[in-house]
Amino acid sequence: MSPEESGKEVDMWSSVRCLGYLSSLNLLVAVCLGMYVRWEQTSEPTILVIFILGLFVLGISSILYYYFSMEWASLSLFHLWFGFLQGLLCFLSSPSLENDIKEQVTNYLLLASVAVRSLWALTERLCGSASYRKVVLTSAELLELLGFGIASTSMVLQRSIAIITLLVALAAIIVDLRMKSLLALPNLGCFCVVVSVTFFQALKVQTNPFALGCYLGRLICEPLLDVYFSGLSVTERWMPFLSAGRLWRKLTVLPLGVTELMFFVLCALKLGHLEFWYLVIPGFCVFGLFWMLCHVVFLVTLWSFHTKLSECQKNRATQRSDTRSLDRVMASRGMRHFCLISERLVFFSLISTAILGAVSWQLSNALYMSMFLVVLSLESLIHGLFHELGNCLGGTCVGYAVVIPTSYCSVDGQPMLLPPEQVQEMNLRSTATLNAVQRLFSHHLIQTFGCDYSTSGISLEALQAKLRSFLELCTADGPRHDTYLIYYSGHTLPTGDWALTGGGCLRLEQLLDLWRERNIGFSSRLMLVLDTENSLPWVKAARRVEGLYVAVQGAEMSPAGDAESQVAPRLGDFTAEWVEYNCNPDSGVQWSERGRLITAMYGVSKRWSDYRLHLPTGNDVAKHWKTHFPRATYPLVSVANWCCGLNLLWLCGACLRCFRRLKLAWFPPTILDTGQGLKLVRS
């Protein structure tokens, strides 16, 4: 970068930073002017004392920042005090202030502050200078919420409690937006409607709408923009929660249960309103019972999730790998399947809360409204967690490897034992191949069924029996694995069939017949990785397979050239390169370079692009329910299956599947990501 470009970049960042300072300066002037106007109108000495104390605190925070380099203490004091002053500016409002010219200037400054703040946040993200932290709430947001809550204590206790509860709902919505929950935006809209239309009318408090709008806008603008701009992955966004200790996570279920119970008690106060008793009492009894059943399921689901997450954390701790391994650990433990079922159950809890809230709506009870917003925000947050994990985590995979290390074949394709002088070299190469396969299984957390190694070959009957047992494997939770991976390294016939002892051979049609028998009624997929001399026929045959999800990764070995440095490739060389490519992102293996002695190729069945990870069926939900929940909640199974089984966009899905099939058939990618962490490659 030239000095002029560097100078322009510095000027741009300085201009962006100045927007943030200008917003804070506008807010400071607005707060000072607003407090002065209120003292001038009321002659209340308390306001003057708070105003002078505010200037004193501002001076202390400046001294701490510039002279003692105590940045954290300075900013904490600043945000806490500003939240408090904005709260006073909002609550100390009266009709006599509306015509005051200084009050109007204050309102315009507040509007300018939130507008400049939003412009600064947007510009910072467009320029790519924003830093996205793995936090639930920033310290600035938490302190401003705390300061506003302290300001609400200037009112009577009942009103103060309602406002503090509303701030808890606001904090949950900020977290909802930062986590990119599915229902975050509808939840934000519901919050804005309730606050602007009914909450303060029920509270019977006159507020300054400009001060309230400025406070809410400054808090929400950054999380709202991050819904679009944040590039953090799902596990990175949720890392503060996913990495928390088992005890702390399970302790969160207790206050959540208390909150839900308080909401139900507040809903029951509606029974005291007897104007429409013939509608209220039956409606509350029916929907209240439905709400209780759903929320028993909700709390049990959350507890079970914490238990499974603790198991994943233990497994991850034993591996001592980076943070990305948490994704693979959760996928290998069946967390995706658990989250997909839990998402349905939590969604029903959300629906029951919305229905009960509508039936029990109390226009004169501000505490009820704020508690309703708290419960709705927390449940949508948990729903977003299950939805995100269910969509981003990979499926389960089980692998089986067969290595027959013979280096020569007779004319009819039967394996022959190596000469004695080559036994040691064969052992070394075979051991390296087995280690590479085990590294692949371990790195991608593929459940290992077995690695069969035989220098004397394997009979067809023994291999078929082993394959039947392998293809029948299921996860610990009951459903079948999403992917079944078979690795083979050994001799083959010119047709690609595996050469076995006793004159037998395993054809691709036989393997696919075994797969069809074991996969009836399921949508798992079969992947074959072949390190053989004749894998091309099976690769081509896989492209003609219909009705199954099958992929074959093979390689073609070219003879060595005239150069003395070139050595003829042998069985196991492709495995070493392919495993290194799939386990090490910085491996440097280039499959498309010219002059390669080992060229990779893959073939996938016609329906491969239609594959989706296993979705919970009715039987899966029923098994899950019987395992984790009491019998009294079982009637909700049929309702959950029926609602989640509706597919209103089937025509769009059919068109999209057709497009994907044509794209994969006509323009197959050089690197095909299977979604399991494994990549199929072709040279």
Side-chain angles (χ1 to χ4, degrees), residues 131 173 183 290 350 383 400 403 450 483 545 597 624:
S131 59
I173 289 174
L183 301 175
F290 178 63
L350 261 171
H383 174 268
Y400 173 50
V403 178
T483 304
V545 175
L597 296 180
H624 181 87

Side-chain angles (χ1 to χ4, degrees), residues 105-357:
V105 173
T106 299
N107 294 337
Y108 289 134
L109 286 172
L110 291 170
L111 288 177
S113 175
V114 70
V116 174
R117 171 80 174 203
S118 302
L119 179 62
W120 166 69
L122 179 61
T123 305
E124 190 179 37
R125 282 152 179 78
L126 289 175
C127 295
S129 60
S131 59
Y132 304 105
R133 291 176 289 174
K134 303 171 187 178
V135 294
V136 177
L137 278 176
T138 64
S139 58
E141 292 164 350
L142 184 60
L143 289 169
E144 290 193 14
L145 288 167
L146 180 60
F148 200 90
I150 294 173
S152 69
T153 59
S154 60
M155 297 182 290
V156 296
L157 181 61
Q158 186 177 2
R159 292 175 178 175
S160 177
I161 292 176
I163 291 177
I164 292 174
T165 307
L166 185 70
L167 292 175
V168 174
L170 177 60
I173 289 174
I174 292 174
V175 178
D176 224 0
L177 292 169
R178 185 163 283 125
M179 298 297 112
K180 295 187 178 181
S181 297
L182 181 65
L183 301 175
L185 294 179
N187 204 21
L188 175 62
C190 179
F191 178 88
C192 294
V193 170
V194 171
V195 170
S196 60
V197 176
T198 62
F199 179 78
F200 287 103
Q201 285 77 358
L203 206 59
K204 297 179 181 177
V205 172
Q206 183 173 2
T207 60
N208 183 341
F210 296 94
L212 182 62
C214 176
Y215 176 76
L216 295 177
R218 287 173 61 89
L219 277 177
I220 288 177
C221 67
E222 290 191 50
L224 183 61
L225 290 173
D226 287 344
V227 172
Y228 178 80
F229 287 101
S230 177
L232 297 178
S233 66
V234 173
T235 47
E236 286 175 337
R237 293 197 302 270
W238 287 96
M239 189 55 66
F241 178 77
L242 297 177
S243 61
R246 175 182 179 181
L247 179 62
W248 287 109
R249 282 186 289 101
K250 290 198 171 183
L251 283 178
T252 59
V253 178
L254 179 60
L256 179 61
V258 172
T259 303
E260 299 281 2
L261 183 60
M262 291 173 59
F263 170 70
F264 186 78
V265 171
L266 288 172
C267 289
L269 296 178
K270 181 69 174 179
L271 296 176
H273 302 168
L274 301 178
E275 293 86 356
F276 300 98
W277 62 268
Y278 48 87
L279 295 177
V280 172
I281 295 178
F284 182 83
C285 292
V286 172
F287 295 115
L289 179 61
F290 178 63
W291 184 91
M292 291 182 67
L293 289 175
C294 288
H295 281 75
V296 168
V297 172
F298 172 71
L299 294 176
V300 173
T301 297
L302 196 56
W303 186 269
S304 302
F305 172 77
H306 288 318
T307 302
K308 288 187 71 70
L309 183 57
S310 298
E311 295 174 359
C312 295
Q313 287 180 337
K314 285 182 181 179
N315 189 285
R316 180 191 172 210
T318 59
Q319 295 180 355
R320 308 292 298 174
S321 55
D322 58 4
T323 55
R324 291 179 299 174
S325 68
L326 184 61
D327 299 11
R328 297 194 293 268
V329 171
M330 290 192 292
S332 67
R333 292 281 175 170
M335 186 67 86
R336 187 192 70 88
H337 185 267
F338 179 89
C339 288
L340 286 174
I341 295 179
S342 300
E343 179 191 357
R344 302 180 181 186
L345 307 180
V346 175
F347 181 73
F348 270 83
S349 299
L350 261 171
I351 294 296
S352 68
T353 297
I355 294 175
L356 184 63

Side-chain angles (χ1 to χ4, degrees), residues 562-588:
D562 297 333
E564 295 181 359
S565 59
Q566 289 184 316
V567 180
R570 299 183 182 180
L571 298 183
D573 291 343
F574 168 70
T575 300
E577 287 193 73
W578 189 74
V579 169
E580 177 67 15
Y581 177 78
N582 274 284
C583 295
N584 183 10
D586 303 321
S587 63

